[in-house]
Every structure is written in C-alpha cells, then in structure tokens.
Amino acid sequence: MRLLEIVTASEVTMELAQTVRSMRPIVPAKVFEISKRFYMDLGFKPRPLTDNLVEMRLGAYAFILQGYYVQQWADNFVMHMSVSDLELWWKHIVSLDLPSRYGVKSPSAPQSEGWGLVAGVVDPSGVLWRIAEEISLKLGEEMRPA
C-alpha cells in the first residue's frame, strides 16, 4: 500500500466514524414481557420500537431487547457494563431479590479479576451481565486531592 492510499483510507474511516450515532447490541428474550420487566426493575427505561423490539435505555446507554430466543445464543451472550460504583449497583441488585421474582440464578457477588471488580447477573433468558468497575479508575479517584 502506498502512503496516499493509507491516508485516504484513514480519512474515510474518520469520516465514517463521525456518522455513527450509536451502537446497540440486540439481546434475546425468551418471554419478552418478563425480560422487559426485569430490565425495568434494574433501572432501564423502555422505548418501544416494534411489537418485538424495545430499546432499553439507562442514561446515555442502551441496548435493544428482542422478542426472539435461541437457547444456544442466549446461553453464550454476555453483556459487559462498566460502572464507576460497583458497590452502588451491587446493593441495588441484591435489593431486587431477582432469583425469587424471576427464577434466575443468584447474582455473583463482586470479585476481583486483577484489572477490576466484577459482579454477575443472569437475566430470565440466560444472558449473562458482567457489571465491572476498573480498579485503576477507583485508585485514581482515591488519590485525587479533596
């Protein structure tokens, strides 16, 4: 590749990147209404798109919940959400008593994975959510002068 081709490809990539407004994964739902209620309990706000699609929004972030289910897909689907306060999230998750309300596995308490703390929640369709807080970010906050 010549230098001019590399520069042109880079410019095109930058131009394309500037047109992207969002990227939203599509999460499967075995029983659509139950999954929607589960995510609403976690704090997500629904915005219907069609009868089988709903955008689940939390602040500036969102995913699309789809009324479509394939067990192998759901069992291998992982959402990773990075947060600044895992302790706050963990208290909220525990307070919801998700296993008795939705028949899901008990959430996995925060554990160190070397780079950060990670808690786990499984939704009613079997989708694993990893909710994580990077240790380096927390250490940076603690080192800042008050």
Side-chain angles (χ1 to χ4, degrees), residues 140-146:
E141 290 173 8
E142 291 172 1
M143 297 172 91
R144 274 192 224 134

Side-chain angles (χ1 to χ4, degrees), residues 81-93:
M81 182 168 67
S82 180
V83 299
S84 63
D85 190 341
L86 182 56
E87 184 178 349
L88 179 67
W89 270 94
W90 182 247
K91 287 177 183 175
H92 175 61
I93 289 164

Side-chain angles (χ1 to χ4, degrees), residues 35-48:
S35 290
K36 185 166 70 169
R37 191 171 72 241
F38 174 89
Y39 287 113
M40 289 170 65
D41 285 349
L42 280 174
F44 290 87
K45 304 288 183 234
R47 184 174 72 90

Side-chain angles (χ1 to χ4, degrees), residues 2-47:
R2 287 184 263 164
L3 182 57
L4 182 58
E5 290 173 346
I6 293 171
V7 170
T8 303
S10 178
E11 288 172 356
V12 169
T13 300
M14 288 296 291
E15 192 174 329
L16 289 172
Q18 291 172 3
T19 69
V20 176
R21 295 185 317 190
S22 70
M23 279 191 210
R24 299 173 296 184
I26 298 178
V27 176
K30 187 174 187 178
V31 180
F32 189 66
E33 289 303 319
I34 291 173
S35 290
K36 185 166 70 169
R37 191 171 72 241
F38 174 89
Y39 287 113
M40 289 170 65
D41 285 349
L42 280 174
F44 290 87
K45 304 288 183 234
R47 184 174 72 90

Side-chain angles (χ1 to χ4, degrees), residues 2 36 44 55 59 64 80 82-83 98 109 115 130-131:
R2 287 184 263 164
K36 185 166 70 169
F44 290 87
E55 178 186 73
I64 295 173
H80 182 91
S82 180
V83 299
L98 299 171
W115 59 270
R130 291 173 41 95
I131 303 169

